Amino acid sequence: MVKMKIVAICGSPRKGNTYKVLETIEENFPLIDFKILMLNELNFEMCKGCYSCVMKGEEKCPLKDDRDMLINEMTKSNGVIFASPVYSHMVSALMKNFFDRFGYLAHRPQFFEKFAMSFTTGAGYGAEHAIQYMDKMAKVFGFEVVPPLDLNIRPGKQSEEAVQNNKSKAIEAFKVFLSRIEKGVRTKPTMNLLVPFHIFKLVSELDSKSFKADYEYYKDKKEYYYDTKISPLRSFIAKRVARKEILG
């Protein structure tokens, strides 16, 4: 039997609470091929915001570092955990840069066969914003998103009861994650995904020279990123909204 493979992308600048929880998950599921990738330990530079990856293609990114390794690890996995501490009501700078570097995937998503879970640690404030952001980015990248894990870990020494409670929450959340992967059921595309599809497709058709990479990606796609049943009415509304958004 082939082991299920999970990769955890950790945006913590140190091996603190977020990393330790990921370690706990790894220790409690020895039959899972579980890999933790610490962004601060990789050769992973700050996004320059040049837009080359979007307009010309991801291979045109001027930064030659571990980006492609990260893509390969996510591609080989059955599921991805996006893990970040909560800083100032948002994900860490490392995690934000991760999503910036893969911004082209919002235009040309590719992880439709993969599942993702957002995981945050914090002192009780702002986690909802960080989770909402990571969930949204995972969805536009193509992932099927499962319920998140949010752990309240206050600064200072934690009581044994609090430690065990968080450990139990993490294990249960991971079990749900694995169950969803095993079932392999995808939710139907929502209007929040249908409309962007038609927006990006239309823009690439209107300006195929500037958005060459998008044009090549969308030119053979009709109603959605992959073959799925979409009602004529929903398709009509999504196209109309997209045209109004772009053409006015």
Side-chain angles (χ1 to χ4, degrees):
M1 180 181 292
V2 179
K3 275 189 174 183
M4 187 180 293
K5 180 177 176 60
I6 304 295
V7 60
I9 311 293
C10 185
S12 177
R14 62 193 182 89
K15 290 185 175 179
N17 294 322
T18 309
Y19 176 81
K20 289 174 183 176
V21 172
L22 292 173
E23 266 197 328
T24 295
I25 293 173
E26 182 178 21
E27 291 166 0
N28 280 271
F29 294 86
L31 298 181
I32 301 296
D33 181 356
F34 193 92
K35 179 180 284 189
I36 304 171
L37 295 175
M38 296 291 292
L39 292 176
N40 71 324
E41 295 178 355
L42 303 180
N43 175 23
F44 195 57
E45 298 184 46
M46 290 293 290
C47 178
K48 293 183 177 296
C50 66
Y51 225 49
S52 293
C53 64
V54 171
M55 300 181 76
K56 299 176 182 178
E58 56 270 29
E59 70 280 1
K60 300 298 183 181
C61 176
L63 305 176
K64 306 304 176 185
D65 51 21
D66 287 335
R67 187 203 66 177
D68 288 350
M69 178 275 287
L70 285 164
I71 277 285
N72 290 335
E73 288 292 341
M74 291 189 287
T75 301
K76 292 186 297 183
S77 73
N78 300 103
V80 177
I81 297 175
F82 296 113
S84 176
V86 177
Y87 293 156
S88 301
H89 291 235
M90 186 40 73
V91 297
S92 67
L94 285 164
M95 184 56 76
K96 180 60 171 65
N97 183 56
F98 169 86
F99 287 115
D100 288 345
R101 288 291 305 276
F102 290 107
Y104 67 88
L105 288 172
H107 283 242
R108 304 185 295 278
Q110 67 181 60
F111 291 107
F112 299 112
E113 302 300 321
K114 310 296 180 182
F115 287 72
M117 179 176 76
S118 299
F119 161 46
T120 60
T121 59
Y125 295 98
E128 67 274 18
H129 304 297
I131 286 173
Q132 184 181 39
Y133 172 71
M134 289 195 289
D135 278 357
K136 178 180 180 180
M137 295 308 297
K139 286 177 183 176
V140 298
F141 286 3
F143 287 98
E144 180 71 15
V145 176
V146 308
L149 170 62
D150 167 30
L151 296 182
N152 189 341
I153 304 177
R154 297 187 181 282
K157 185 174 176 59
Q158 297 286 301
S159 68
E160 184 60 28
E161 181 181 2
V163 170
Q164 291 304 316
N165 185 45
N166 281 329
K167 179 179 178 179
S168 297
K169 286 182 178 179
I171 290 172
E172 288 306 309
F174 191 67
K175 285 180 179 178
V176 172
F177 186 34
L178 296 180
S179 175
R180 288 287 299 275
I181 294 173
E182 288 170 351
K183 290 176 181 177
V185 178
R186 292 193 61 87
T187 55
K188 293 181 179 180
T190 64
M191 291 301 288
N192 285 337
L193 294 175
L194 287 171
V195 171
F197 168 82
H198 287 290
I199 286 177
F200 289 136
K201 180 175 172 62
L202 179 58
V203 170
S204 71
E205 292 169 347
L206 292 173
D207 193 358
S208 59
K209 273 191 175 180
S210 296
F211 291 92
K212 183 178 179 181
D214 280 9
Y215 179 75
E216 290 298 320
Y217 177 86
Y218 285 99
K219 66 180 182 180
D220 296 322
K221 294 175 171 58
K222 303 300 182 185
E223 303 298 327
Y224 197 56
Y225 300 106
Y226 54 85
D227 289 336
T228 186
K229 190 174 182 180
I230 298 171
S231 73
L233 178 60
R234 284 165 60 81
S235 180
F236 172 78
I237 293 173
K239 289 177 182 177
R240 185 158 185 171
V241 172
R243 292 188 69 84
K244 183 173 178 57
E245 181 72 23
I246 300 303
L247 303 176

